[in-house]
Amino acid sequence: MEVGICIPNTFLTLPVENIVVDSRSNQIVVTLEKTKTSKQFQQSLVLRHRGLAKIVAKALTRLPLKGPIWRFPPRVFRESFTLLVNHFHLQEHAFSLYSLRRGGATHTYACS
């Protein structure tokens, strides 16, 4: 499977300290700085999902308190993505990193 080369830079460089989980409300707040659509202002993404809040809270306990959540080169991210697709036998769906970005945007638009 060919994995697309488009990796959202914001994701790879997102500081750990920009992710806050409120376990009581099952809310995750992600602060995005200098995004493509708003270079002057911070934007925030708020997610409310009990299961996802638990997963993110657990993941945060395994990361350093500061710095980017992904500390490896983009090549390693692409390779990891491919390994996960193969592990879960999802090759037939031809997922790429770009398809996830595009699919997420389409889903958000359709829901709101």
Side-chain angles (χ1 to χ4, degrees), residues 70-107:
W70 188 260
R71 297 172 187 272
F72 306 98
R75 173 189 54 78
V76 176
F77 186 83
R78 289 189 295 271
E79 290 170 358
S80 298
F81 179 82
T82 300
L83 288 171
L84 286 170
V85 167
N86 293 340
H87 176 78
F88 290 107
H89 307 288
L90 299 172
Q91 299 91 330
E92 69 183 69
H93 300 290
F95 286 121
S96 71
L97 292 169
Y98 181 74
S99 70
L100 294 179
R101 179 176 179 242
R102 186 173 164 192
T106 301
H107 176 75

Side-chain angles (χ1 to χ4, degrees), residues 40-60:
Q40 294 177 321
F41 305 103
Q42 288 187 155
Q43 294 182 336
S44 294
L45 171 67
V46 179
L47 304 162
R48 288 186 187 94
H49 188 280
R50 191 180 81 187
L52 184 59
K54 285 183 178 183
I55 291 169
V56 172
K58 181 73 170 183
L60 288 175

